[in-house]
Amino acid sequence: MSNITAPTRFLEANGEKYAYRRFGKGPGRPLLCLQHFTGTLDNWDPAVTDPLAREREVVLFDNAGVGRSSGTVPKTVAGMANHALAFLDGLGLDGCDVLGFSLGGMVALQMAQDRPAIFRRMILVGTAPRGGADIMHLDKPSLAGPLADPKLRGYAVLTKIFFAPTASSQAAGAAFVGRLALRREDLDPPSGPEVAAAQMAAFRDWERPADERFADLKSVRQPTLVVNGVHDEMIPVSNSFRLVEHLPNAVLLVYPDSGHGSLFQFHESFTRHAAAFLSADSPSASY
Amino acid sequence: MSNITAPTRFLEANGEKYAYRRFGKGPGRPLLCLQHFTGTLDNWDPAVTDPLAREREVVLFDNAGVGRSSGTVPKTVAGMANHALAFLDGLGLDGCDVLGFSLGGMVALQMAQDRPAIFRRMILVGTAPRGGADIMHLDKPSLAGPLADPKLRGYAVLTKIFFAPTASSQAAGAAFVGRLALRREDLDPPSGPEVAAAQMAAFRDWERPADERFADLKSVRQPTLVVNGVHDEMIPVSNSFRLVEHLPNAVLLVYPDSGHGSLFQFHESFTRHAAAFLSADSPSASY
C-alpha cells in the first residue's frame, strides 16, 4: 500500500501503452493523481500518496511520452487531458476524485471541462487557470540560478526550486528528496529534454487566456480544494487566488514558509485536509 | 456554556467598566473574541462560540463605548487595542489566543504589534491589514442599497450585507439571524450612530498605509489562521491575500459562496478548523 513498493502496471488504450500504479483500498472513491512538469510515477512522495491510500485506491499515471508510457508528449494541456481520459476509460474508472499538482492541475481542469461528470471532487495544488500569470518561467533568476548550478544534481535541484529559501523549508525539501529515494526498483526513466520542451510549450499555450479570461472556470462545478505555498516561484500563489475567485465552488488553503512543493513540506497537514475534503459528502466544497 | 445564556459580567480597569462574557472550559488557552463594526456581545453567533467553548474558555468583550462598556469609542484601531489590552490585564489573562472578526481582526493585529507576547495563536476573519483596500465603504452600491432599504429592519439587514446573494448563502444568513435571536435576556443595547461614526473614522485611518505598506506585518510572528468568504463586499478577500503574503506565519482558508459572515455560514467547518488550529502545538501555522 505504498508508492515505495507498488508495482508499475501497464494499460493498453487509445493505441498507447500507459504506465501506472494503483494501490490502497477503502470506502473512498479512487483518486487519480496527475503529475507535475517532467515528473514520473517516481516523483510522487510516499508521505502524500500512502496516507491517502489508507481510505481509497490511489492511481498514479504517466501521461503519454512520460516515464514508461508510450507515445509523444502533447504540446497542449488539452492533448494531455485526452490521454488521461482515454486511460480512465480503459481502466473503467468513471466519477473518480482527482489530485492534480502543477501541470497535473491544469490537466484536471481541462478534463473537468471536457467531460464534466468525470470527477466528483478535485484537489488542485500549485497550479493555474488558463490565462494565469507567470507560469513556469524557468528563465527568471530565482529558478534559472538553481537550474544552472552544477553543484545541484538530480533531485537536489528539486529542494531548491520546490521549497522556500528558509532553513525550515529547505529541511523539508531534503526530507522529501530522501523519501523519493526510498523506491529502489521498477523505476521510471527520468524525463529528458524532449519531454520538458513539449510540456513547456503546453505551459505557454495555457498562459493565453480564453475569450473572456477565467470565464471557462464557471463550468467547473465540482467541489474543489485549491492548495498553494505562499512563496511559490514556479506558479505563483496569485494563480490560486484567481482559481477560487472564479471557480464556483472552491475552498482555498494557503501554506506559509513554502513554495511549489507545499503538499510535500506539510504532508501531514495536507493529507489530513485532503482526506477530510475527499470524505465530505456535502455539495459545498467547505469541509 | 453558551452565548445564549452566559451572564454578562463587568470588569473595572483603566478607569472604565468593561462588559464581557466568559464561558466554557477545557485544556485550551482562553480565546479572546474581538467583534465587528457596531457589534456587541449579542452579535456573537452561538454556533461559533459554543463549539469553541467545549475545549477552552471563550471571552467575549465589548470595547469602550460599545454595548454596556463605559467610555468613548476610539477613532483609531490603536485606541481600541489599548482598551483591549487594559481589559486583558485587568482580567489577568496573558498569552491567550484570539479570534478577531472584521474590525476585531484589526484590533488583534494592533495588539500583537503593541505587545508581541499577548497572543499565542491568532485567528483573523474577514479583516484587513493596515493599508488594506476597500475597507468598509458602506456607500458603494452593493452595501448602500440594503442599508437604505426600509423593508430590511434590525438583523435582517445583516443577512443581506454579511452573506452572498445566492439562495444558499441567504438561507445561511437567515439561520444566523435566527440564532442571534435565541438570547432573550441580559442584552446589550444596539450600537447607535455615534459608535458607527467613531468606528468608521478608525477604518479610514486604518486604510492609510504605514511608511512601507504591509511592512508592519513582518513583526507579527504568531501562528495565524486567516479566514475569508470569497465574495466579501465589506472587506474584500484581497485583504486576506495581502495578510498571508506578508505575515510570516499564516495559513489562509477561503470559503466559497459566502461574504463577510463566512464563519457564521460555515460554522461547523469553521469551528472544526479553528479548533484544530488552536489545539496544534507546532511553531508553524499549518494544522
Side-chain angles (χ1 to χ4, degrees):
Chain A
M1 307 269 272
S2 169
N3 194 35
I4 301 172
T5 53
T8 306
R9 306 186 201 188
F10 297 91
L11 176 83
E12 302 213 4
N14 195 32
E16 305 288 0
K17 191 179 75 170
Y18 296 114
Y20 71 104
R21 294 183 195 140
R22 185 175 186 169
F23 55 97
K25 65 179 178 182
R29 295 217 186 185
L31 179 69
L32 175 68
C33 297
L34 297 172
Q35 186 60 290
H36 64 79
F37 175 65
T38 70
T40 69
L41 302 176
D42 302 328
N43 288 90
W44 281 111
D45 185 349
V48 165
T49 57
D50 298 1
L52 293 171
R54 283 182 210 127
E55 295 176 45
R56 63 189 55 74
E57 273 195 314
V58 167
V59 180
L60 314 182
F61 168 61
D62 273 337
N63 210 305
V66 176
R68 280 171 283 177
S69 283
S70 70
T72 313
V73 178
K75 291 181 177 164
T76 64
V77 168
M80 298 173 194
N82 282 341
H83 281 292
L85 288 168
F87 168 71
L88 288 183
D89 287 343
L91 220 53
L93 276 185
D94 192 26
C96 61
D97 294 332
V98 68
L99 164 58
F101 172 43
S102 189
L103 175 61
M106 303 172 200
V107 175
L109 280 166
Q110 185 67 54
M111 292 169 73
Q113 292 178 291
D114 292 347
R115 204 190 293 178
I118 192 69
F119 298 131
R120 188 194 61 124
R121 292 190 155 236
M122 303 174 66
I123 303 176
L124 304 176
V125 185
T127 191
R130 172 172 281 280
D134 191 16
I135 297 173
M136 295 291 287
H137 286 274
L138 302 186
D139 51 342
K140 65 183 182 183
S142 56
L143 299 173
L147 286 167
D149 187 341
K151 295 195 301 295
L152 298 173
R153 291 189 300 179
Y155 282 158
V157 73
L158 281 185
T159 306
K160 289 294 176 195
I161 64 177
F162 270 27
F163 295 83
T166 60
S168 46
S169 190
Q170 287 295 302
F176 161 68
V177 165
R179 292 192 298 269
L180 291 187
L182 292 174
R183 186 179 178 100
R184 304 262 183 164
E185 295 177 355
D186 181 21
L187 296 170
D188 271 349
S191 296
E194 71 293 344
V195 172
Q199 292 182 340
M200 201 51 75
F203 288 131
R204 295 291 77 78
D205 176 74
W206 190 252
E207 270 186 336
R208 283 196 286 276
D211 287 351
E212 185 193 343
R213 195 184 290 260
F214 308 133
D216 49 329
L217 297 176
K218 294 269 179 291
S219 70
V220 180
R221 304 200 66 83
Q222 282 86 352
T224 301
L225 173 61
V226 177
V227 179
N228 221 117
V230 76
H231 302 302
D232 190 334
E233 287 289 327
M234 306 190 80
I235 302 181
V237 67
S238 60
N239 290 291
S240 286
F241 298 160
R242 298 298 91 75
L243 279 172
V244 295
E245 286 170 339
H246 295 276
L247 285 169
N249 193 10
V251 164
L252 174 63
L253 181 68
V254 175
Y255 283 112
D257 183 41
S258 55
H260 201 51
S262 66
L263 75 172
F264 308 131
Q265 179 165 348
F266 296 110
H267 53 88
E268 289 181 14
S269 169
F270 173 75
T271 54
R272 194 161 54 237
H273 282 271
F277 171 75
L278 292 175
S279 66
D281 206 24
S282 153
S284 169
S286 72
Y287 64 97
Chain B
M1 307 269 273
S2 168
N3 193 34
I4 301 172
T5 53
T8 306
R9 306 185 200 189
F10 298 90
L11 176 83
E12 303 215 2
N14 195 32
E16 305 287 0
K17 191 180 77 169
Y18 296 115
Y20 71 103
R21 293 181 196 142
R22 185 176 186 170
F23 55 96
K25 65 176 178 184
R29 296 218 184 183
L31 179 69
L32 174 69
C33 297
L34 297 172
Q35 189 56 293
H36 65 80
F37 176 65
T38 71
T40 70
L41 302 176
D42 303 329
N43 289 89
W44 280 112
D45 184 350
V48 165
T49 57
D50 298 1
L52 293 172
R54 283 183 210 127
E55 295 175 46
R56 64 189 54 74
E57 273 196 314
V58 166
V59 181
L60 314 183
F61 168 62
D62 273 337
N63 211 304
V66 175
R68 280 170 283 176
S69 283
S70 69
T72 313
V73 179
K75 291 181 176 163
T76 63
V77 169
M80 299 174 194
N82 282 341
H83 282 291
L85 287 168
F87 168 73
L88 287 184
D89 288 343
L91 219 52
L93 274 185
D94 192 26
C96 61
D97 294 330
V98 67
L99 164 60
F101 173 42
S102 190
L103 175 61
M106 302 170 201
V107 176
L109 279 166
Q110 185 68 55
M111 293 168 74
Q113 292 177 289
D114 293 346
R115 203 189 295 179
I118 191 69
F119 299 131
R120 188 194 61 124
R121 293 191 154 235
M122 305 175 64
I123 303 177
L124 304 175
V125 185
T127 192
R130 173 173 281 280
D134 191 15
I135 297 173
M136 295 291 286
H137 286 274
L138 302 186
D139 51 343
K140 65 184 183 182
S142 56
L143 298 173
L147 287 166
D149 187 341
K151 295 195 302 294
L152 297 174
R153 290 190 300 181
Y155 281 158
V157 74
L158 281 186
T159 307
K160 291 292 178 197
I161 64 177
F162 270 28
F163 295 84
T166 60
S168 46
S169 190
Q170 287 296 302
F176 162 67
V177 165
R179 291 192 298 270
L180 292 187
L182 292 174
R183 185 177 178 100
R184 306 262 183 164
E185 294 176 356
D186 179 21
L187 296 169
D188 271 348
S191 295
E194 70 294 342
V195 173
Q199 292 182 338
M200 201 51 76
F203 288 131
R204 294 291 77 78
D205 176 73
W206 190 252
E207 270 187 334
R208 282 194 287 276
D211 287 351
E212 184 192 343
R213 194 183 291 259
F214 308 133
D216 48 329
L217 297 176
K218 294 271 179 289
S219 70
V220 181
R221 306 201 63 86
Q222 282 86 352
T224 301
L225 173 61
V226 177
V227 179
N228 219 116
V230 75
H231 303 300
D232 190 332
E233 287 289 327
M234 306 188 82
I235 301 181
V237 67
S238 60
N239 290 291
S240 286
F241 297 160
R242 298 298 89 76
L243 279 171
V244 296
E245 286 170 339
H246 295 275
L247 284 169
N249 193 10
V251 164
L252 174 63
L253 180 68
V254 175
Y255 283 114
D257 184 42
S258 55
H260 201 52
S262 66
L263 75 172
F264 308 131
Q265 178 165 347
F266 295 111
H267 53 87
E268 290 183 14
S269 169
F270 172 75
T271 54
R272 194 160 55 235
H273 282 271
F277 171 75
L278 293 175
S279 66
D281 205 23
S282 155
S284 169
S286 72
Y287 65 97

Coordinates of all heavy atoms in Angstrom, one line a residue, chain A residues 28 54 107 240:
Chain A
G28 N -13.4 5.3 0.1 CA -13.4 6.4 -0.7 C -13.4 6.1 -2.2 O -13.0 4.9 -2.6
R54 N -4.9 4.9 2.4 CA -5.5 4.1 3.5 C -7.0 4.1 3.5 O -7.6 3.3 4.1 CB -5.0 4.7 4.9 CG -3.6 4.2 5.2 CD -3.1 4.7 6.6 NE -1.7 4.9 6.5 CZ -1.0 6.1 6.9 NH1 -1.7 7.1 7.3 NH2 0.3 6.1 6.8
V107 N -4.3 19.8 -16.3 CA -4.9 18.7 -17.0 C -6.2 18.4 -16.3 O -7.2 18.1 -17.0 CB -3.9 17.5 -17.0 CG1 -4.6 16.3 -17.6 CG2 -2.6 17.9 -17.7
S240 N -3.7 30.7 -7.7 CA -4.7 30.1 -6.8 C -5.7 31.0 -6.4 O -6.9 30.7 -6.2 CB -4.0 29.4 -5.6 OG -3.3 28.2 -6.1

